[in-house]
Structures are given as C-alpha cells and as structure tokens.
Amino acid sequence: MNPAQLPRSSFWNDTGKSGITAWIFSIDHKRIGLLYLFTTFSFFLVGVILGLLLRIELMAPGRTIMGAQTYNALFTVHGVVMIFLFILPGFPGAFGNLVMPIQIGARDVAFPRLNLLSWWLYVTGAAIVLTSLFTGGGPPDTGWTFYVPFSTRTVTNVTLAVFGVFVIGFSAILTGLNFVTTIHRLRAEGMTWGKLPLFVWSLYATAWVQILATPILAITLVLVMAERLLGTGLFDPGRGGDPLMYQHLFWIYSHPAVYIMILPAMGVISDIIPVFARKPVFGYKMIAFSSLAIAAAGSLVWGHHMFTSGMSDTAVLVFSFLTFIVAIPSAIKVFNWVATLYKGSISLEAPMLFALSFILLFSIGGLSGLILGAAATDVHVHDTHFVVGHFHYVMFGGTGFAFFGAMHYWLPKFYGRRYAEKPALVAWALMFTGFNILYFTMQVLGMQGMPRRYYDYLPEFSSLNLAATVGSWILAAGMVIMLVNLFRGLLKGEPAGNNPWGGATLEWTISSPPPTENFAAEPVVTHGPYDFSKTGAP
Amino acid sequence: MSNTEHHDYFGAKLGMWLFLFTELLLFGGLFLLYAVYFKRYPEEFAAGGRQLDWVLGTVNTLILLTSSLFAAMAVTAVQRSEQRRSMALIGGTVLCAAGFLVIKYVEWSAKISHGIYPGAERLKSGDPGESVFFGLYYLTTGLHGLHVLIGGILLVWIAVKVKNGAVTADNGILLENGALYWHLVDLIWIFIFPLYYLML
Ligand code: HEM
C-alpha cells in the first residue's frame, strides 16, 4: 500500500456500525481500548485540574482560595481519581487492549465479552465514585488511603466512594485474568516466549499482580464498609480491633499496585527505545525477567509504608531490606535501556523524548524512594512533601510521561494520521521543565520539613511554594499544547503509513488503522521483536 | 483463524482457575485477620466457638459436601449426553444450596435474638475478644453465604443452558466451570467450619 494513503476500510468503519452503541457494546479489543483511553484520560484531566487547584491554594501561606476542609476533600479526590480512575486501569485498559493482542499476532483477547464487561464495571465504579462527591456528607476527606480510624468516623461519603473503588477492583481482576489467558493461549505461530515484545512481558507481569493483589484490596474495602455500616469494630481498638491491621491489609494490595502502575510504563519504554536507537534492545532476557522479579519482590515490601506506625523493629528491618531488593530489578532495566542507547543511531522524535525523560524522572523517583525505604531516613521525611515529590516523580514522571510517549508512539497506528512534530517537541520541553520545577521543589520543601496534606504552611516555605505553583502552570501549558496537537494531528494530519517509526513488532506490519480482524491471515513469526534488519528504514 | 476465542477449552479453564485464585485471596484477607486476632485472644475465640451450634454447622457441612457431589455428577452426566439426569443433579445442588442458606438463617436469627450481632450493645460493652470473634464470624459467613447465593443462581442459569442444548458433551465447559466455582464455595466452608465451630 502506498504509505501516503489511508486504507479504505479499518476497524473504524469496516463493520458498518459506527453509532455510539456500536462502540460502547463493541467486543473488539481496539474499540474497547479506545473507550478505556478516552475515559481514563478524561479522568486524568479532571485530576490535573484538581491538582492545579491544590497548587494555587499552596501558592501563598494561609487561606488562598479554599479552607482546610475543602483542601482535604480536594487532595483526597485528586488522589482517588488519579490512582483508581486513571493510572491503575489506564495502561492495561487502554494500551494493553489496543496493542497487546496485535503484538502477539492474535485476533482479539481470550474473552472479548469479559473485556467489555471490565470496561463497564470500570465505568460503573467511576460513576459511583463521582456520585459520592455530590451526595451524602460530601466528598471524602480521608486521603486516597482511607486510613482507619478516621475513615470509619468521618461523616463524609466514604462508604459510597469505597464501594465505587471496589467495583473498579473487580474490573481490574477481570482484565488481569483475561490478559494472562490471552498471552498463554493466543500467541501466533512462532511467537515464542523469547520473541514476545517487552511490552507484552510487562503486561503479563502486571496482569499477575492485578490477579493476586486486587482481591486483598476488595476485602479491605468491604471491611471499611462493614465498619461504617454495621459497626463491626474489627479495626477499633476500643473494641479489641487493631487499626494497624487495616494498614497492613491496605498496603498488601497497594504497594504491589504501584507496580501495576509502573510495569506497563517500563514495557512501553523498552519497546520505544530500541526503535528510536535503531538497535536491538540490550539484555532482552534480563528486562523480561526483571518485570517478573519486580512483580514478585514488590509483593513483599508493603511494610515500608508503615515504618512510623508502631510496627515491631524486626518488621521494620525486614521490610527495609526487602525494599532495597526491589531496587535491583528496577536498576537492571535502567542500565539495559542506557546500554541500548549506547552507540545507537538515535533519532529524537517525540516518543523517544518522552522515553528518555522517563528514564531520568523515574530514576530520580526511584532513588528518592530508597531514601524512604531506609527506615532511618524515612522517619525524618515521612509524611512530608518529600513523599509527595517522590511519588509524583514515579507515577507522573514515570508512568504519566510513558503514557504520553505511548500516545505519540501508537495512536498514529490507530488513527492512521500523524501529529505535527514541532509542537510535540515544544510541548514536551515545557512539560519536562515545568514538571521538575514543580516536584523537585516539593522534595526540597519536604527535606526542610513541610508536611503533606495541609492547606497552610509556615512563612519560610513561601518562596519555594510559589516556585512550585509556577512550575505547575508551565507543566499545564505544555499539556494543553500537547493535547491540541495530538487531537488536531490524529483527526486531520498527514497519513501515517503502516510503519512510521520503523518498528519491528507485529503491529507495524498491518495497515494503519488496522482492520477489525487485525491480520488477514494468521501471521507466522520468524524474527524477534527488535530485529530491525527485516524492516525498511522509515 | 484458529487462535480466536471460540471453544478454547483450555483457555476457558485457565481463566476460571485464575478467577478461583482471586476468590481464595479475597477470603484470605479474612483468614489473615482471623490468624492475627486468634493469636491475641485465644481464650475468647474458644469461648465464642462454644457459643456456635456445632450440630447445625456439621449438618451444613454435610449438605455442602453432598451438593458438591451432585455438581460433579452433573458434569459427568453431560459428558455422557444425559441432559435430563444432569439437570436433575444440578437441581439437587441448588436445593442443597437453599437448605444451607435456610440453616444459616436459623443460626443467625438465634444469635441475633441473643443480642449478638455486629454493632450490638452486648458486643460493644462486653469483652473485646468476643466482639472481634463475632465480627469476623458474621463477615466471613456472610460473605460465604453471598457466594452460596451467587453460586446457586449461576447453577440455575447453567441448568437452563443445559435444557436449551447449549451445554453438550462436546461443549460442556460452562457447566464444568460452574461446578468448579461450586467446589470452591464448598472448599471455603471446609475451612470456615473448623475455624469457627470446632475451636476448643
Ligand atoms: C499537574 C499535575 C499535578 C499536580 C499539580 C499535582 C499536585 C498535587 C498536590 C499539590 C498534592 C497534595 C499535596 C499535599 O498537600 O499533601 C497532590 C497529591 C497527590 N497526587 Fe498529584 N498532582 C498532579 C498530578 C498527579 C498525577 C498524574 C498523579 C498520579 C498518577 C497524582 C497523584 C497524587 C496522589 C496519589 C496524591 C496524594 C493524595 C493524598 O494525599 O491522599 N498527581 N498532587
């Protein structure tokens, strides 16, 4: 096919059905993927607006635009939206669905109808969470962690919000078991485990974490609801319960959950970097294996969120030690990416810039994580803005930037059109600059002792806080440019052609946008995912 | 294409087993709490256990074991293309499920009439260990009861499918998975029963 033309028919139109119901009841993985992309990304934008409001409040000491209670509610909703409505379902739901089946040479996922059900559960859960903001005692104000005893006593609408999150958890479990089954059963002929693209490997590890960890979150949330509705008192020290048990149960889920957030991002980066360095990835086996190692070791380190909770000293030591172990597979990945770049012929297009900034931002986030993972230093910076800076570096600088990278890398495939390159670079530069001004400042503030989750602070923190807020505006400006550019390009831009970047994975062998059945005939895989000798240069 | 979802028997089984794992982990959270609190309040847990009716508990265990037997036999019946027999056996399983829930209802009502239920004054002002024991008891058996109910409904739906000829000897995965789910419900009870009713 002439690369300068769009194919006449694709999954956008070849079923002859394009009304809204043909989308929200579609069982095609590409349509479901786009549904996920639009819903999760809309929530991301909502979260960003809330974050910007938080930053405006912190622009100057004292009350700026809101009082204490509003601030408490806003950071809670910001956290809940970002974590449960965007980042956890976002990557597997959107790009996992869009790309993974094609990358393994399959027609669809193993259980397409279950896949649709997952999306519906997600939307239902999200609707319940949104309802909780406007009904009952008003938006929850507990922080996204729903810690007892406050979460069982506050009059705000925690019960409903928790129930919404419970429903979303169900959706995550179904996605997880769907993906594991798909990757085991539906690989095309010749697609051995050693030829799987690294994005698929990372989704495989992610899916296992979703399966193994989410049920614990579910039962924990059920317990919070039971405390509130029935008064079981299982976490109430006055009645024989132990609030610490809540923290254990919560983090048994929620720490592995941060690997649900970061692993797919690492997978995208492992796919992007070799393509733009035009070199086979360095240490394929180690990158694949380290995903599994992160998933496994990451399940044993939840206690590092609880160093100051009054847990026993032995437990603190053990958890601290295990936490350092997780750093090893993460570092393996970073070294391998850097080694892939070495002597590559690097082309700095938008996806690559996001990938490179991922490496830097994730490293900053990861290394500051070690400061928190070491019990002795953690005691000083626990619950300060240092922590806020740390997890934004990992979740936003890491997963968020990887998500943007994935949008620039893969969306031309699914829309068949390209965005303009220059505005994409400007947007990236603004976001990268703004991001660091915003969050590096927060880490410094934390070191100086500014606690998190307060709407007010001592006057000596003023100037840095102002700087952080200005950083958040630069970041937001970059994001606006990025979105406008993506949107315009995907709708009206130049046709992308089948393989705009010269990738060697299977999705680049079919037309852009792909037809509903993906491959005209079942592909037979003969070369590895990063073997560029077989693909023409772009 | 051969690698689509249709009739991938092994794939459907794999998916179901993964789902069963998640169910085990769900209850695992409650068993974890049980373990921690049992270590803290061994005597109160034993005293609480003595207040439960072990006769009814035993009867319910037997009922569930029988129901699992029926479920397994229903699977075999379909494999031999004996649709009617299979439907009757599924009916037997569902009846057992109903019987189980009725007995549970009787047990719960008796306890509630003695003022033992979550949030009750007696538990609030009484011994903390007792409060924890019964809090866990109600949550665990309640969640399990909910699973019995869901499993029962699921089996009725599958029986209809058997009747319509949608479940056959060649394509019996739906019933097999339904039976697997039912065995899981049974299995969880096998753990709940000794932990709550037979503590010395
Ligand atoms: C422009 C973007 C963003 C801005 C300006 C922003 C800003 C903030 C601020 C000011 C806080 C509260 C600090 C405190 O007082 O404790 C916060 C908390 C938080 N943010 Fe963001 N954020 C942004 C994006 C994100 C993203 C992309 C994520 C995750 C994917 C995220 C996740 C969280 C979480 C989990 C919390 C903690 C909430 C809690 O304490 O319960 N944020 N953010």
Side-chain angles (χ1 to χ4, degrees):
Chain A
M1 194 188 71
N2 177 349
Q5 265 174 11
L6 286 190
R8 207 165 294 122
S9 79
S10 67
F11 77 101
W12 289 89
N13 54 23
D14 65 4
T15 52
K17 301 195 193 94
S18 57
I20 176 88
T21 47
W23 279 83
I24 61 176
F25 297 117
S26 168
I27 55 170
D28 177 43
H29 69 97
K30 296 177 287 302
R31 290 193 173 194
I32 295 177
L34 286 179
L35 288 178
Y36 262 113
L37 181 69
F38 279 102
T39 36
T40 53
F41 203 74
S42 307
F43 282 117
F44 169 75
L45 295 179
V46 172
V48 166
I49 292 174
L50 296 174
L52 291 172
L53 289 175
L54 291 172
R55 268 326 313 173
I56 293 179
E57 168 54 35
L58 292 179
M59 194 162 74
R63 186 191 162 103
T64 315
I65 55 166
M66 64 183 87
Q69 179 63 26
T70 317
Y71 188 83
N72 293 352
L74 275 196
F75 75 66
T76 305
V77 177
H78 169 76
V80 169
V81 164
M82 284 299 193
I83 302 273
F84 294 113
L85 303 190
F86 166 60
I87 200 169
L88 283 170
F91 244 118
F95 290 106
N97 265 316
L98 278 173
V99 182
M100 184 271 284
I102 308 184
Q103 281 197 328
I104 64 173
R107 159 73 184 77
D108 208 316
V109 293
F111 311 113
R113 273 181 296 173
L114 205 61
N115 203 13
L116 179 65
L117 177 65
S118 300
W119 182 74
W120 272 100
L121 283 173
Y122 163 72
V123 173
T124 313
I128 297 175
V129 171
L130 288 187
T131 315
S132 79
L133 308 185
F134 303 109
T135 54
D141 57 351
T142 56
W144 77 278
T145 45
F146 302 119
Y147 266 23
V148 298
F150 185 60
S151 64
T152 59
R153 299 215 182 118
T154 168
V155 293
T156 54
N157 211 347
V158 170
T159 315
L160 204 59
V162 161
F163 181 65
V165 173
F166 176 84
V167 174
I168 293 173
F170 215 131
S171 147
I173 290 179
L174 295 184
T175 305
L177 69 85
N178 210 341
F179 281 11
V180 169
T181 312
T182 306
I183 295 170
H184 271 281
R185 299 294 299 163
L186 300 187
R187 281 170 288 127
E189 204 185 322
M191 180 56 82
T192 53
W193 288 92
K195 287 205 183 84
L196 281 184
L198 287 165
F199 182 58
V200 177
W201 265 111
S202 73
L203 280 173
Y204 182 71
T206 309
W208 272 109
V209 182
Q210 285 179 306
I211 292 172
L212 295 176
T214 318
I216 306 287
L217 173 74
I219 195 67
T220 313
L221 297 176
V222 167
L223 286 164
V224 171
M225 286 188 273
E227 295 280 311
R228 285 181 69 87
L229 296 174
L230 308 173
T232 36
L234 284 177
F235 298 132
D236 181 351
R239 307 193 23 216
D242 186 347
L244 208 56
M245 285 311 293
Y246 172 84
Q247 295 191 19
H248 275 297
L249 285 175
F250 182 82
W251 288 114
I252 287 179
Y253 162 75
S254 291
H255 196 78
V258 310
Y259 301 108
I260 301 180
M261 306 171 195
I262 198 70
L263 279 170
M266 294 171 156
V268 185
I269 302 308
S270 312
D271 262 16
I272 291 180
I273 285 186
V275 171
F276 291 87
R278 303 219 62 78
K279 248 185 82 197
V281 73
F282 183 86
Y284 172 91
K285 282 205 181 114
M286 284 316 278
I287 296 186
F289 155 81
S290 61
S291 290
L292 298 179
I294 289 178
S299 302
L300 303 173
V301 299
W302 74 86
H304 67 216
H305 296 267
M306 301 165 58
F307 286 157
T308 61
S309 68
M311 190 167 70
S312 81
D313 286 350
T314 326
V316 168
L317 279 179
V318 171
F319 279 124
S320 189
F321 175 71
L322 289 171
T323 302
F324 275 75
I325 292 195
V326 184
I328 297 173
S330 310
I332 289 180
K333 280 186 195 283
V334 171
F335 294 144
N336 279 322
W337 292 325
V338 176
T340 307
L341 293 172
Y342 181 65
K343 288 194 174 164
S345 83
I346 296 171
S347 76
L348 286 179
E349 287 168 288
M352 183 60 158
L353 285 173
F354 283 107
L356 291 179
S357 43
F358 171 96
I359 299 183
L360 181 69
L361 300 177
F362 174 75
S363 301
I364 297 179
L367 290 172
S368 63
L370 288 180
I371 297 179
L372 296 163
T377 39
D378 176 65
V379 173
H380 295 281
V381 285
H382 182 82
D383 247 341
T384 65
H385 261 66
F386 187 79
V387 179
V388 182
H390 154 70
F391 65 68
H392 281 96
Y393 261 99
V394 185
M395 295 200 294
F396 192 0
T399 310
F401 271 62
F403 202 89
F404 301 153
M407 295 208 306
H408 287 88
Y409 182 60
W410 275 318
L411 286 187
K413 174 96 249 162
F414 293 94
Y415 282 80
R417 294 178 184 279
R418 285 180 78 155
Y419 47 87
E421 188 67 22
K422 267 227 184 77
L425 302 187
V426 175
W428 168 82
L430 281 176
M431 291 200 292
F432 183 74
T433 318
F435 182 93
N436 284 299
I437 299 180
L438 171 58
Y439 295 113
F440 201 78
T441 326
M442 282 200 193
Q443 295 204 306
V444 175
L445 279 166
M447 281 290 184
Q448 296 178 351
M450 175 168 161
R452 70 188 277 206
R453 292 180 171 170
Y454 284 96
Y455 82 116
D456 193 5
Y457 48 83
L458 297 174
E460 56 260 39
F461 299 135
S462 300
S463 44
L464 282 179
N465 265 303
L466 183 62
T469 302
V470 172
S472 76
W473 295 336
I474 302 177
L475 174 60
M479 249 187 293
V480 171
I481 298 179
M482 173 182 82
L483 287 181
V484 171
N485 181 42
L486 268 179
F487 217 66
R488 274 225 323 246
L490 296 177
L491 295 180
K492 301 205 207 93
E494 292 288 303
N498 292 356
N499 193 354
W501 319 118
T505 39
L506 284 179
E507 73 270 30
W508 307 113
T509 61
I510 59 178
S511 58
S512 314
T516 296
E517 67 276 11
N518 295 346
F519 302 93
E522 187 177 330
V524 177
V525 181
T526 48
H527 61 85
Y530 307 106
D531 180 357
F532 299 107
S533 59
K534 301 289 191 300
T535 60
Chain B
M1 270 167 74
S2 61
N3 68 352
T4 49
E5 90 275 18
H6 300 293
H7 307 301
D8 180 4
Y9 173 83
F10 188 84
K13 263 280 167 65
L14 178 65
M16 191 65 196
W17 276 103
L18 290 173
F19 182 70
L20 296 185
F21 270 134
T22 68
E23 290 278 16
L24 280 182
L25 286 161
L26 183 78
F27 281 91
L30 288 173
F31 288 130
L32 191 71
L33 281 184
Y34 183 98
V36 170
Y37 288 138
F38 174 64
K39 173 141 187 291
R40 202 167 295 177
Y41 308 109
E43 269 124 49
E44 290 84 345
F45 269 49
R50 277 194 294 275
Q51 294 184 49
L52 297 177
D53 190 333
W54 67 269
V55 179
L56 289 182
T58 313
V59 172
N60 255 350
T61 309
L62 293 177
I63 288 182
L64 273 194
L65 286 175
T66 317
S67 73
S68 254
L69 177 68
F70 286 158
M73 287 167 71
V75 173
T76 321
V78 157
Q79 280 164 357
R80 295 191 190 139
S81 296
E82 300 168 344
Q83 284 0 35
R84 300 189 124 252
R85 192 175 136 81
S86 172
M87 275 156 57
L89 284 163
I90 298 177
T93 315
V94 175
L95 273 186
C96 288
F100 177 91
L101 288 176
V102 169
I103 292 184
K104 206 72 252 154
Y105 173 78
V106 172
E107 278 190 81
W108 273 30
S109 331
K111 282 277 157 302
I112 291 171
S113 69
H114 283 105
I116 299 183
Y117 53 91
E121 258 328 298
R122 170 171 166 189
L123 292 185
K124 268 192 187 152
S125 47
D127 191 322
E130 192 188 25
S131 165
V132 168
F133 178 82
F134 280 107
L136 274 176
Y137 166 77
Y138 274 105
L139 277 179
T140 314
T141 55
L143 193 66
H144 178 257
L146 189 67
H147 279 76
V148 172
L149 190 67
I150 294 172
I153 296 172
L154 192 74
L155 286 173
V156 169
W157 177 68
I158 293 176
V160 174
K161 290 267 181 182
V162 175
K163 182 156 188 261
N164 297 343
V167 175
T168 57
D170 303 329
N171 187 16
I173 186 67
L174 190 63
L175 176 57
E176 283 182 37
N177 277 348
L180 270 180
Y181 184 79
W182 191 256
H183 295 323
L184 173 90
V185 170
D186 187 8
L187 177 79
I188 290 173
W189 177 257
I190 299 295
F191 282 93
I192 295 178
F193 175 58
L195 286 177
Y196 286 89
Y197 290 78
L198 303 183
M199 290 312 302
L200 298 173

